Amino acid sequence: MTDDHTVLGTREHISLGLDTFGDVPLDGAPDNHAETLREVVAEAVLADRVGIDYIGLGEHHRADYAITAPDVVLAAIAGRTERIRLGTGVTVLSSDDPIRVYERFATLDAVSGGRAEVQLGRGSFVESFGLFGLDLGDYDRLFDEKLDLFAALQHEQPVTWEGTFRTPLVDQPVYPTTAAGKLPAWIGVGGTPQSVVRAARYGMPLMLAVIGGSPAAFAPLADLYRDALGQLGLPELPIGMHSPGHVAATDEEAREQLYPHQAEVVTRIGRERGWGPYSRIAFEQAAAPQGALFVGSLETVAQKIAWAARTLGLSRFQLKYSVGALPHEQRMESIRLYGEEVVPRVRELLAAG
């Protein structure tokens, strides 16, 4: 059986990955979603070629993101790659069926030669609830129950389980099983202590979504997670971090390429949530050495990732590299620089202490 800790990364050998939601240009072109999905596959193929450890596809059900079925896109990527790990960022478990999620990703694990994993979360958008006939008022209870069932499935033995949102299961086998005997799964959290403790209780690695403020502000949550594991008598498990960013030849070029797209996306989503317009000042604060935006030259981004890894004790860092209508060519160059230059430099910095 594969050791999940080895597969997912350790503090001694950090795993460096990428995330994308398949951001779609909102210019009304009829083939934007299809073209974006093809671009995501090409971006993952490049990531595999330049030595990046992980590609995570985020599930959304909105016009501005193309990826509604991450496992299907990941299967396409699996057929064109050799080593990169394949997962999500995140799978919205609250509005899905845990058995179907397990079946789909166990299937992906088989066809990819053991490279699949899944990151489970409640998601930062709620469109999937109405789309799949669920009551948003059950937001918390749905996730709690479905996570409990998913954790039971990880034993890959016949499951007996009962909840309130589905009929009971009695000695029910689920197929396919994985060659390793367990599908690796993380829990993605936005920053609440309750979510962190829940990840520890289920013995699942923790993925912190750091999209604002400073990564340093999440250090107490990382400590809480480790303390909770210890109190439960569980071994140390990986902690990961997901943050947006962009790499280019110079700091100025990276910021000028990213800013208009970052501003458009945050301002547009902010209108839905009652936020004010995104400003250049906010962008520069986030891009500062201890901000949540990992944008700049290879050295700037590498130094910042190494700092965050030391500060939080990370086993994995995932760069959310696609933002709004940032052109495919610029995303590809960012991926190339990240894999060929940033990844080895981060490991060099961390090895130096």
Side-chain angles (χ1 to χ4, degrees), residues 22-100:
D23 300 55
V24 177
L26 295 177
D27 58 9
D31 63 344
N32 274 347
H33 286 84
E35 181 64 24
T36 295
L37 290 168
R38 291 189 289 268
E39 290 172 353
V40 167
V41 174
E43 289 156 10
V45 170
L46 175 61
D48 182 65
R49 182 169 64 79
V50 298
I52 293 166
D53 296 316
Y54 176 80
I55 182 75
L57 307 187
E59 174 197 348
H60 294 83
H61 301 270
R62 299 165 48 95
D64 41 358
Y65 301 117
I67 300 172
T68 61
D71 50 299
V72 177
V73 186
L74 290 167
I77 293 168
R80 296 181 55 188
T81 56
E82 297 179 357
R83 51 167 299 282
I84 195 167
R85 292 195 61 76
L86 309 166
T88 55
V90 296
T91 291
V92 184
L93 188 64
S94 308
S95 57
D96 210 331
D97 182 280
I99 293 176
R100 292 296 290 140

Side-chain angles (χ1 to χ4, degrees), residues 205-238:
L206 179 72
M207 180 58 61
L208 297 166
V210 182
I211 59 175
S214 172
F218 287 74
L221 293 176
D223 291 340
L224 174 63
Y225 176 69
R226 295 188 183 99
D227 289 345
L229 288 172
Q231 292 173 14
L232 292 163
L234 297 174
E236 184 171 325
L237 293 171

Side-chain angles (χ1 to χ4, degrees), residues 31-306:
D31 63 344
N32 274 347
H33 286 84
E35 181 64 24
T36 295
L37 290 168
R38 291 189 289 268
E39 290 172 353
V40 167
V41 174
E43 289 156 10
V45 170
L46 175 61
D48 182 65
R49 182 169 64 79
V50 298
I52 293 166
D53 296 316
Y54 176 80
I55 182 75
L57 307 187
E59 174 197 348
H60 294 83
H61 301 270
R62 299 165 48 95
D64 41 358
Y65 301 117
I67 300 172
T68 61
D71 50 299
V72 177
V73 186
L74 290 167
I77 293 168
R80 296 181 55 188
T81 56
E82 297 179 357
R83 51 167 299 282
I84 195 167
R85 292 195 61 76
L86 309 166
T88 55
V90 296
T91 291
V92 184
L93 188 64
S94 308
S95 57
D96 210 331
D97 182 280
I99 293 176
R100 292 296 290 140
V101 172
Y102 206 93
E103 289 176 339
R104 294 195 304 262
F105 282 88
T107 300
L108 176 65
D109 195 65
V111 300
S112 67
R115 292 187 281 141
E117 61 184 68
V118 62
Q119 292 178 12
L120 307 171
R122 292 181 288 185
S124 58
F125 297 96
V126 297
E127 287 81 1
S128 62
F129 288 81
L131 184 64
F132 299 123
L134 299 167
D135 186 344
L136 192 56
D138 295 324
Y139 182 82
D140 291 317
R141 289 197 305 135
L142 280 165
F143 186 71
D144 287 344
E145 281 202 11
K146 293 185 177 190
L147 180 61
D148 190 64
L149 175 53
F150 187 94
L153 297 171
Q154 282 191 298
H155 298 292
E156 298 196 347
Q157 298 294 322
V159 173
T160 297
W161 183 92
E162 185 172 352
T164 59
F165 291 103
R166 60 166 301 149
T167 55
L169 299 170
V170 180
D171 206 26
Q172 177 66 54
V174 174
Y175 303 108
T177 55
T178 62
K182 179 182 180 180
L183 179 68
W186 301 66
I187 295 183
V189 305
T192 65
Q194 296 90 335
S195 297
V196 170
V197 172
R198 177 169 46 217
R201 189 170 71 248
Y202 283 105
M204 294 184 185
L206 179 72
M207 180 58 61
L208 297 166
V210 182
I211 59 175
S214 172
F218 287 74
L221 293 176
D223 291 340
L224 174 63
Y225 176 69
R226 295 188 183 99
D227 289 345
L229 288 172
Q231 292 173 14
L232 292 163
L234 297 174
E236 184 171 325
L237 293 171
I239 296 176
M241 171 181 159
H242 150 108
S243 287
H246 179 63
V247 189
T250 66
D251 287 348
E252 182 180 8
E253 182 179 3
R255 293 185 184 201
E256 291 309 311
Q257 288 178 351
L258 183 62
Y259 172 70
H261 306 292
Q262 177 81 357
E264 189 280 326
V265 167
V266 177
T267 298
R268 172 164 40 84
I269 293 173
R271 283 196 296 268
E272 301 174 10
R273 302 183 177 187
W275 306 341
Y278 190 73
S279 68
R280 185 72 193 223
I281 292 174
F283 176 82
E284 295 297 339
Q285 289 173 338
Q290 294 191 5
L293 193 58
F294 288 69
V295 56
S297 67
L298 67 96
E299 184 65 19
T300 294
V301 174
Q303 290 281 353
K304 193 167 183 177
I305 293 173

